[in-house]
Amino acid sequence: MIKFGKFVTKLFVIISVALSLAAISAHAQKNTSSSSKGHVVNLKDADIRAFIEDMSVLTGKTFIVDPRVTGTVTVTSQAELSKSEVFAVFMDVLRVRGFTAVPTSSGAYRVTLIQGAAQDAPIKNGRTTVGAFVTEILKLSHGDASNASKLIKPVMHSQGRLTSTPGGRVLVITDYPENIRKARKIIDAMDVDQAAIETIALRNINARDAKDAVRELMGSGKPQIRNNVVIGETVKAVAIEATNTLVLRGDPASVAQLKAMVLRMDQASVQLRGRVSVIALRFANGDDIVAVLEKILPTFEDKVNKGEKPSVAYDPGSNALIISATPKVQEALETVVRRLDVRRPQVLVEAIIVDISDTAAEDLGVQFLLAGNENSALPLLSTNYSRSAPNLLALAGALAGNSVDAVTSGDLQDAAVSSLLGLTGGTIGFGGSGSSGLFGAILNAVKNDTDSNVLSTPFVTTLDNVPATFLVGQVVPFTSGETLGNNNNNPFRTINREEIGIKLEVLPQINQGDVVRLEIKQEVSSISVEASTVAADLVTNKREISTTVLANDGEIIVLGGLMQDDEQLFRSQVPILGDIPVLGNLFRSKNNIRRRTNLMVFIRATIIRSGDDATPLTQQKMDIIRREERRRIGAEKSRLDEALRDMGYFDK
């Protein structure tokens, strides 16, 4: 009976829904107005799953129903509704029953419990679904996001999500569209800059000292969060050292209180100023400041008594200036010191040197010898070329040295050995001796090909208007002179040592508009291995650029370059015989050398005005070292990071 009763109830619900839809359809056929309305929804204790199915038929939307969605719904309506209004009623019915429809990427809707649905809410992209959770990112211009979240929380749904960062200005809200609209209105009302700004011109105390005093009183100048409660004032102090001015920004009451305190400090400094004052320097060099002040001291001597002549001294240990003068003169000199003792910008100068060279050499030569012994009728016939090795005459002399005295024979053998030591490439020869004389022939062939591709990127950081030098290379000795005494006694040699490698000398000057004037001397030198094997001393290759250029901040410009193609052809032959086709190759020697050089030098200057500018540049160079070390040793961690960790760098 129980099962039969449930069946009757379900059948009754289905019949009721069918009759309602039939009524809606009949009424829609009668209504032909342009408003596209004509749907009336009246349900009483209808099964919610059947209701969802009917909405899918009516609206043409696809619904994926969570198994936990169960129960009945009741809707009473007498007014005609359009399809969009019917869908809005459907979403409100789900919300009343504790459900919601979440749009999916495929266009369908997933009907599920409101609890946990916020994490699946899509980001708002212009159009939103009525009655569905949506996520929106709100940005504040002036206020604190954590403070705004406390005002927004009461108007949010119990299952909504609100995320903010203490001290930040971004809010992430997941809720129904109407609640997000309320949150936006609250933010518009509170996100107004109410901070006060005061500029205080100081006459007696240093602006940086006043700034340090304000920071000590206000802590870090930023609000502190404890137990989700904002503690502390939010006043910022900025010192303008060029004009000795202090700028305060923050809560009007706090700014007014600090301004009164700073003015009292400045006034009290006049009353306490004595004959001598000490000024601690922060950035400037004390010797340079003293040199400037000594030049302007005579302008103050005419205005004071002879016993009150002003004087300036510098203490390197404490990096401080000591001024002895009247209070007015002290004030004037301190103004000069403040304007000179400012942090000067730095310049990172990076050079890119590309040197591509190609040297090819080919040698081919044939030498022969025919000579008769003493009392022989054979003539002397030979070919010998200075650019070909070995020396055939030296070999023949060593072979014939057995018939001469021992001293001469030793010299001839040494000459033959030296000729063979200088031999390169491939050599084919034959020879012999008989009762009538000597004979021999040698074929020597050599081909050399040398390619080089040098890419160097030296860089150096220096202060504005301060020269800097960068050198990576060796100090090589070169013989500059030799002297022998009488009878070859007391010989000595003088040596000059020169720097060989990559050298960069630069003097940067920052001009208006962040244009950097660079006086540059770029030098690339190396020892020429090929030339040094032939010459008696070392031979160097040297490429140098000395110029002055203008470059914008961060701009890469070319300094100069060299593109050279040099080909040398040497040909030695026996007259007439060397011109004979084919057979003439036995009476000549060829030597061909071709050198190609492509050298380019580029430069880039980057202005570093603060630590914030230096940090990313330093990090970039450190990342290059990390990648190179990992590639070389095949490790996941870099030893550089270990060294920095040992120094406590990552703890800062």
Side-chain angles (χ1 to χ4, degrees):
M1 293 296 294
I2 296 175
K3 293 183 179 179
F4 180 76
K6 289 183 178 180
F7 174 76
V8 172
T9 302
K10 187 174 181 181
L11 180 62
F12 176 76
V13 170
I14 294 175
I15 294 173
S16 299
V17 173
L19 292 176
S20 299
L21 292 177
I24 293 174
S25 177
H27 189 77
Q29 292 177 358
K30 294 179 181 180
N31 191 347
T32 59
S33 62
S34 60
S35 63
S36 71
K37 293 186 177 182
H39 304 286
V40 178
V41 180
N42 284 298
L43 299 174
K44 183 177 182 180
D45 296 329
D47 184 73
I48 191 171
R49 289 180 171 269
F51 179 53
I52 295 173
E53 182 178 354
D54 294 338
M55 289 299 103
S56 177
V57 174
L58 180 62
T59 61
K61 300 181 184 297
T62 301
F63 297 99
I64 303 172
V65 184
D66 191 296
R68 296 172 294 179
V69 178
T70 58
T72 60
V73 297
T74 299
V75 181
T76 301
S77 174
Q78 300 299 327
E80 297 180 354
L81 305 175
S82 64
K83 287 186 178 181
S84 60
E85 292 173 340
V86 171
F87 184 73
V89 170
F90 168 70
M91 296 296 292
D92 290 336
V93 170
L94 292 179
R95 181 175 176 179
V96 169
R97 296 293 298 166
F99 307 121
T100 185
V102 181
T104 63
S105 58
S106 62
Y109 289 84
R110 183 161 55 89
V111 182
T112 183
L113 300 177
I114 292 181
Q115 297 178 354
Q119 62 185 7
D120 297 329
I123 299 292
K124 181 180 179 181
N125 56 2
R127 297 183 60 184
T128 59
T129 301
V130 178
F133 273 176
V134 65
T135 300
E136 187 170 351
I137 300 174
L138 302 179
K139 295 182 180 180
L140 285 72
S141 301
H142 306 285
D144 185 4
S146 59
N147 293 337
S149 63
K150 298 174 183 179
L151 300 177
I152 297 174
K153 189 68 175 177
V155 302
M156 291 186 58
H157 190 271
S158 60
Q159 297 300 322
R161 296 286 183 87
L162 177 60
T163 305
S164 63
T165 303
R169 295 184 177 179
V170 176
L171 280 171
V172 180
I173 304 177
T174 301
D175 208 322
Y176 290 105
E178 59 270 23
N179 292 340
I180 293 180
R181 286 194 293 268
K182 296 177 184 178
R184 191 182 297 109
K185 291 182 179 180
I186 294 174
I187 291 176
D188 293 340
M190 67 163 294
D191 192 23
V192 179
D193 187 11
Q194 299 178 352
I197 300 177
E198 288 287 350
T199 302
I200 307 172
L202 303 175
R203 297 179 57 85
N204 303 295
I205 61 175
N206 187 275
R208 183 173 287 271
D209 295 336
K211 174 185 175 182
D212 294 340
V214 171
R215 285 190 171 181
E216 289 293 333
L217 292 174
M218 304 303 299
S220 62
K222 297 180 179 180
Q224 300 178 0
I225 308 298
R226 295 180 183 176
N227 299 326
N228 296 326
V229 178
V230 181
I231 301 176
E233 304 289 346
T234 57
V235 176
K236 294 183 179 180
V238 178
I240 304 176
E241 299 184 16
T243 59
N244 197 35
T245 303
L246 182 67
V247 181
L248 300 178
R249 181 184 184 277
D251 177 67
S254 300
V255 169
Q257 184 180 11
L258 290 174
K259 179 182 178 180
M261 181 202 69
V262 172
L263 291 177
R264 286 196 299 269
M265 291 171 52
D266 192 41
Q267 184 64 28
S269 178
V270 177
Q271 301 174 359
L272 299 176
R273 184 183 292 274
R275 174 67 186 179
V276 178
S277 62
V278 179
I279 304 176
L281 299 178
R282 300 179 182 272
F283 305 105
N285 182 277
D287 293 329
D288 297 338
I289 297 294
V290 169
V292 174
L293 296 180
E294 288 179 346
K295 293 181 180 179
I296 64 175
L297 283 180
T299 60
F300 298 98
E301 294 179 357
D302 298 337
K303 302 178 181 180
V304 299
N305 299 327
K306 293 183 178 180
E308 298 178 349
K309 182 178 179 180
S311 62
V312 179
Y314 171 62
D315 179 29
S318 59
N319 192 30
L321 290 177
I322 298 94
I323 300 177
S324 176
T326 61
K328 291 185 178 180
V329 175
Q330 290 181 31
E331 181 180 349
L333 294 178
E334 287 180 5
T335 302
V336 176
V337 173
R338 294 190 194 104
R339 297 203 175 190
L340 296 178
D341 187 25
V342 295
R343 177 166 180 165
R344 297 165 60 184
Q346 303 176 89
V347 180
L348 172 63
V349 181
E350 300 171 280
I352 303 176
I353 305 170
V354 183
D355 186 1
I356 303 175
S357 60
D358 180 14
T359 301
E362 295 182 0
D363 294 331
L364 179 62
V366 179
Q367 303 178 67
F368 67 87
L369 170 68
L370 177 63
N373 293 334
E374 187 177 357
N375 300 324
S376 175
L378 290 176
L380 174 63
L381 297 175
S382 68
T383 58
N384 186 32
Y385 307 104
S386 60
R387 300 185 63 87
S388 298
N391 192 322
L392 184 58
L393 296 180
L395 297 177
L399 183 62
N402 295 328
S403 60
V404 298
D405 59 85
V407 177
T408 305
S409 176
D411 295 340
L412 293 175
Q413 291 176 358
D414 292 341
V417 172
S418 299
S419 178
L420 291 174
L421 291 177
L423 183 63
T424 58
T427 303
I428 300 176
F430 64 89
S433 63
S435 58
S436 299
L438 303 173
F439 66 92
I442 293 178
L443 171 65
N444 179 240
V446 180
K447 182 177 181 180
N448 295 323
D449 194 355
T450 304
D451 295 331
S452 64
N453 186 0
V454 180
L455 177 61
S456 179
T457 57
F459 62 91
V460 63
T461 303
T462 181
L463 286 174
D464 182 26
N465 280 324
V466 176
T469 302
F470 176 90
L471 174 64
V472 176
Q474 298 175 329
V475 180
V476 181
F478 292 89
T479 301
S480 60
E482 294 180 347
T483 302
L484 295 176
N486 296 330
N487 298 324
N488 295 333
N489 294 329
N490 193 23
F492 69 90
R493 175 183 299 176
T494 58
I495 296 176
N496 291 335
R497 298 184 179 273
E498 297 184 7
E499 297 171 343
I500 301 297
I502 298 176
K503 188 174 183 180
L504 174 63
E505 296 180 1
V506 60
L507 175 61
Q509 183 183 44
I510 302 176
N511 298 322
Q512 186 178 4
D514 287 344
V515 178
V516 184
R517 182 180 183 270
L518 298 171
E519 296 182 8
I520 300 173
K521 183 178 180 182
Q522 175 70 59
E523 179 182 312
V524 180
S525 57
S526 61
I527 298 177
S528 177
V529 179
E530 297 179 355
S532 298
T533 56
V534 179
D537 207 341
L538 296 178
V539 179
T540 59
N541 299 322
K542 186 175 182 180
R543 300 175 177 89
E544 179 180 339
I545 294 178
S546 180
T547 183
T548 302
V549 297
L550 294 176
N552 294 328
D553 181 20
E555 179 185 16
I556 298 178
I557 63 173
V558 61
L559 291 184
L562 172 65
M563 302 181 67
Q564 181 181 4
D565 192 349
D566 181 17
E567 185 173 5
Q568 298 178 356
L569 177 61
F570 300 92
R571 178 173 177 176
S572 301
Q573 68 176 33
V574 177
I576 301 175
L577 297 179
D579 296 330
I580 300 176
V582 183
L583 187 61
N585 292 324
L586 301 176
F587 300 95
R588 61 173 175 252
S589 175
K590 294 181 179 180
N591 180 266
N592 186 13
I593 300 176
R594 184 172 185 176
R595 296 184 178 89
R596 294 179 179 178
T597 302
N598 191 345
L599 173 67
M600 287 289 181
V601 179
F602 304 88
I603 204 78
R604 179 174 71 175
T606 304
I607 300 175
I608 304 175
R609 299 189 181 276
S610 63
D612 294 337
D613 295 339
T615 299
L617 295 175
T618 303
Q619 190 66 36
Q620 178 185 8
K621 301 302 180 184
M622 293 172 64
D623 290 341
I624 295 175
I625 299 299
R626 290 189 181 98
R627 289 195 301 268
E628 181 63 23
E629 186 179 15
R630 292 169 183 169
R631 183 193 63 81
R632 182 175 59 85
I633 65 178
E636 296 181 358
K637 296 183 179 180
S638 172
R639 296 178 182 176
L640 175 63
D641 293 334
E642 297 178 0
L644 294 175
R645 189 175 292 105
D646 294 340
M647 296 170 58
Y649 177 80
F650 293 109
D651 297 334
K652 297 180 179 180

